[in-house]
Amino acid sequence: MVALDPSRVTIGHCSDSNDLDYLRHILSTGCYIGMDRLAFYATRNSLENVARNIAQLIEDGYGNRILLSHDWGIYFGMWEDWKTFKEDFIYLKNPKLSQEGYGLINKVFVPVLEAAGIRKQDISAMLRDNPQRFFQ
């Protein structure tokens, strides 16, 4: 049997949860967590809640294993055609999200992280250092 190195595992969609004990448990195993549904904040979880959760996890010493992603796709292929997707996809109806698209993290979420008291070096780690270490 081959053991799986937890440092090679990311548990995604963790931004949906406000259960810090659950998130701490995942991180305590050595896995990374993906705070990766930021583009879905209109219906899943507020960016402010996600930022508060991240701030607490950083304070708890887990900042080196948090990854950020907007989880934003042009077209997922789950709808029958582009027109149906465009009409049905609620996230496209959010003007702020539609306007920012792939700039959501830098233009919208980074200021929310800063407002939650997260230091620039911790933000930089989540955007650069952590993904680089994970993908090495």
Side-chain angles (χ1 to χ4, degrees):
M1 181 188 325
V2 177
L4 178 65
D5 178 0
S7 71
R8 307 306 304 154
V9 175
T10 298
I11 306 299
H13 297 174
C14 287
S15 60
D16 288 355
S17 178
N18 291 316
D19 184 343
L20 288 170
D21 289 335
Y22 166 73
L23 298 174
R24 285 184 195 106
H25 176 73
I26 293 170
L27 289 161
S28 72
T29 68
C31 293
Y32 284 77
I33 60 170
M35 300 303 248
D36 57 355
R37 291 174 60 100
L38 301 178
F40 295 84
Y41 72 88
T43 60
R44 301 285 184 192
N45 200 358
S46 75
L47 291 180
E48 292 76 18
N49 282 343
V50 176
R52 279 192 296 273
N53 293 339
I54 290 172
Q56 184 59 58
L57 294 170
I58 290 170
E59 186 176 318
D60 294 343
Y62 295 114
N64 64 332
R65 287 199 307 282
I66 299 172
L67 303 171
L68 303 178
S69 170
H70 42 63
D71 207 359
W72 173 252
I74 298 297
Y75 173 59
F76 299 154
M78 295 174 5
W79 287 259
E80 58 190 64
D81 58 38
W82 170 249
K83 185 175 187 269
T84 303
F85 170 76
K86 190 173 176 183
E87 290 170 359
D88 289 350
F89 201 49
I90 189 170
Y91 315 110
L92 289 175
K93 296 175 184 172
N94 182 322
K96 194 172 195 179
L97 176 59
S98 298
Q99 179 181 350
E100 301 306 344
Y102 288 108
L104 176 70
I105 290 175
N106 289 324
K107 294 180 181 177
V108 177
F109 194 51
V110 165
V112 175
L113 292 171
E114 291 170 340
I118 299 174
R119 301 173 308 167
K120 289 189 184 300
Q121 61 262 36
D122 291 320
I123 294 169
S124 179
M126 289 184 289
L127 292 173
R128 292 186 195 105
D129 304 338
N130 298 354
Q132 182 178 28
R133 189 171 47 271
F134 179 78
F135 286 112
Q136 284 181 337

